[in-house]
Amino acid sequence: MAKGYYVKFETPADLVNPILEALRVASQSGKVRKGTNEATKAIERGISKLIVIAEDVEPPEVVAHLPIICDEQGAAYAFVPSKQELGKALGIDVTSAAAAILDSGDAQHIVDQVIEAISKVKGGKSDK
């Protein structure tokens, strides 16, 4: 399936698992918000550490605004290939188009590495 037009950069395949792992650990030991609306609020309030967006969202308009407001607010964000995997990493039985890590908990070192790697992928632009 083709990626949505909102996917601003290619997340390296070797970064997908650490992103999902960070979500998994943060949802158990930290604070995570699930879903597009919650992620949007977290970005606007400036409390998100990392926003994770699925690439296979239909219709794409559901999450198309997220990369734009992340860039405006200077929030770090990443893409994962599947909303199914995103839901699973969050520990829920349904798919999730987006998620926000508010408090990394025990996943702090993973989140830091992911943010650093993503800023390199985006062309050296550093977030925060």
Side-chain angles (χ1 to χ4, degrees):
M1 186 171 139
K3 287 182 180 33
Y5 62 85
Y6 57 87
V7 178
K8 302 275 184 232
F9 58 88
E10 186 75 42
T11 302
D14 61 341
L15 211 52
V16 172
N17 280 339
I19 292 168
L20 294 173
E21 182 61 25
L23 274 173
R24 221 173 277 119
V25 174
S27 65
Q28 290 164 358
S29 63
K31 203 171 193 182
V32 174
R33 291 281 175 255
K34 305 163 183 80
T36 307
N37 289 345
E38 294 286 336
T40 303
K41 288 183 221 167
I43 300 162
E44 288 170 343
R45 293 176 183 152
I47 55 174
S48 66
K49 299 259 188 289
L50 178 66
I51 301 294
V52 182
I53 308 165
E55 292 177 352
D56 62 347
V57 178
E58 279 297 320
E61 290 77 15
V62 173
V63 293
H65 67 285
L66 289 174
I68 297 164
I69 61 173
C70 280
D71 286 337
E72 284 173 3
Q73 298 282 347
Y77 63 99
F79 299 98
V80 292
S82 150
K83 58 187 178 188
Q84 190 77 48
E85 285 177 22
L86 187 51
K88 214 180 285 172
L90 290 166
I92 55 177
D93 296 331
V94 291
T95 62
S96 180
I101 297 178
L102 308 185
D103 176 8
S104 311
D106 298 336
Q108 185 61 53
H109 64 286
I110 308 173
V111 172
D112 290 342
Q113 289 171 342
V114 166
I115 291 171
E116 196 177 305
I118 285 166
S119 64
K120 286 178 187 158
V121 170
K122 284 168 68 176
K125 291 184 295 205
S126 70
D127 296 304
K128 290 197 174 168

